[in-house]
Each structure stands twice: as structure tokens, then as C-alpha cells.
């Protein structure tokens, strides 16, 4: 076995175990009461040297592993009906505001193009009603008020329906185990 060893390779000797009545010495740090120095895991030999100037006897290979994508299989088995009600209420309020603003913008665009005046002229030319004015019948305040009432009804119905759907989903998922999802980490 000694013929395989060359003169420049260090020989590692097993550490001697101190007797039970002698105190053990610290592995890192000086014996003279100097502060302890933390070791670094860097590959730089200056940073990874021990405090007394010696280098460690064993080294780890510097291998970088590429991260693998993780996949998890989960199942959605229960939905909290109260949280569904809150979220659907807020989303339906946002939708109602968008509908009211969109109805006002469409009315203003139709008025700017002159659609109401042309329809009034067409009705007057037929002789059905000479005093008919479509712009007075479908005024901006009438359209916005009607859309607001429609949106309030829509908010209530949408919130109730989504909450009922969440409760039905809880019952069905207790029977069949819910919706199974596979999530991936790219």
C-alpha cells in the first residue's frame, strides 16, 4: 500500500481521542484565546483556509446542478362560499361601473354622429308622429338611470348565482373528489 503513495500526497491520520479526564480542544480557532473565525465554503483558497494557515484536507467538487422543474398534483376539494360571495360582489360592482360608463360613452357618440336627429327626421317624414323627438325620449339621464338600475339588479343576481354555484361545487366535490390540478414550476 505504501508503494501507491507518492512523496507529495498528504497522509491522513485518524484523530486521536483525548482521554476522558482531559478537556477537548476546539476544532477551529487558535489555542491562545483568539476569536473564532468562521470558515467559508468558497472555492477561493485564501478564503477557505483555516485560521492557523493550513488548508482543509478534504475538498468537495464544484458541481453546479441545473434546477429541475417541479410538478405538484393538487385537488381543489372545497371553496369557501363567503370568499366567493365577496369576490364576485366586488367584480360585479366593477362590471356595473364599466357598463354605466360604456352606456354613457355610446350615447354621447351616437349623439355626436347625429343618429338621434336622423331617426327623428325619418319618423317625421313618414307622418306617424310629427312631434316625436328621439333625443328627448332617450336622453342621457334616462339611459344612465336605466343602466344603473339594470346594473344593480345584475350585481345582486351575479353575487347570488356565484355563491350558489360555490355551494353546489362543495357538495359535488365531496362526492367525486374535486378538480385535480397539476402545477408546474418553470
Amino acid at each position: 500500500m505504501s508503494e501507491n503513495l507518492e512523496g507529495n500526497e498528504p497522509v491522513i491520520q485518524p484523530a486521536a481521542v483525548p482521554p476522558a479526564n482531559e478537556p477537548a480542544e476546539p476544532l477551529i480557532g487558535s489555542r491562545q484565546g483568539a476569536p473564532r473565525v468562521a470558515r467559508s465554503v468558497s472555492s477561493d483558497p485564501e478564503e477557505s483556509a483555516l485560521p492557523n494557515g493550513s488548508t482543509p484536507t478534504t475538498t468537495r467538487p464544484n458541481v453546479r446542478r441545473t434546477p429541475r422543474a417541479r410538478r405538484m398534483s393538487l385537488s381543489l376539494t372545497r371553496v369557501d362560499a363567503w370568499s366567493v360571495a365577496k369576490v364576485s360582489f366586488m367584480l360585479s360592482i366593477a362590471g356595473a361601473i364599466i357598463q354605466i360608463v360604456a352606456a354613457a360613452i355610446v350615447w354621447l357618440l351616437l349623439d355626436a354622429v347625429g343618429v338621434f336627429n336622423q331617426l327623428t327626421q325619418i319618423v317625421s317624414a313618414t307622418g306617424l308622429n310629427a312631434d316625436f323627438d328621439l333625443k328627448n325620449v332617450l336622453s342621457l339621464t334616462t339611459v344612465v338611470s336605466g343602466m344603473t338600475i339594470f346594473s344593480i339588479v345584475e350585481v345582486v343576481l351575479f353575487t347570488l348565482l356565484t355563491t350558489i354555484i360555490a355551494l353546489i361545487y362543495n357538495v359535488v366535490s365531496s362526492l367525486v373528489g374535486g378538480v385535480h390540478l397539476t402545477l408546474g414550476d418553470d
Side-chain angles (χ1 to χ4, degrees), residues 2 13 33 41 47 49 55 65-67 87 91 108 126 129 180 186:
S2 63
Q13 298 291 334
V41 291
E47 292 181 11
T55 58
R65 295 182 183 165
T66 57
V87 169
L91 289 175
L108 289 172
T126 60
N129 191 354
H180 299 284
D186 290 336

Side-chain angles (χ1 to χ4, degrees), residues 54-70:
S54 64
T55 58
T57 56
T58 60
T59 58
R60 292 188 349 206
N62 191 5
V63 178
R64 287 195 180 193
R65 295 182 183 165
T66 57
R68 294 185 300 187
R70 294 181 294 174

Side-chain angles (χ1 to χ4, degrees), residues 29-77:
S30 175
R31 294 176 180 85
Q32 307 300 332
R36 293 178 56 181
V37 179
R39 290 189 300 173
S40 172
V41 291
S42 168
S43 61
D44 187 12
E46 293 176 355
E47 292 181 11
S48 65
L50 291 177
N52 59 2
S54 64
T55 58
T57 56
T58 60
T59 58
R60 292 188 349 206
N62 191 5
V63 178
R64 287 195 180 193
R65 295 182 183 165
T66 57
R68 294 185 300 187
R70 294 181 294 174
R71 293 187 182 266
M72 296 183 68
S73 295
L74 301 172
S75 59
L76 182 61
T77 56

Side-chain angles (χ1 to χ4, degrees), residues 61-114:
N62 191 5
V63 178
R64 287 195 180 193
R65 295 182 183 165
T66 57
R68 294 185 300 187
R70 294 181 294 174
R71 293 187 182 266
M72 296 183 68
S73 295
L74 301 172
S75 59
L76 182 61
T77 56
R78 187 178 182 283
V79 178
D80 186 27
W82 179 242
S83 67
V84 169
K86 290 187 291 186
V87 169
S88 65
F89 177 74
M90 294 306 291
L91 289 175
S92 61
I93 289 289
I97 292 171
I98 291 170
Q99 283 178 346
I100 293 169
V101 171
I105 290 173
V106 167
W107 189 92
L108 289 172
L109 287 175
L110 290 176
D111 187 39
V113 172

Side-chain angles (χ1 to χ4, degrees), residues 9-29:
E9 292 184 8
V11 178
I12 300 174
Q13 298 291 334
V17 178
N21 56 2
E22 291 182 19
E25 294 181 17
L27 295 176
I28 300 175

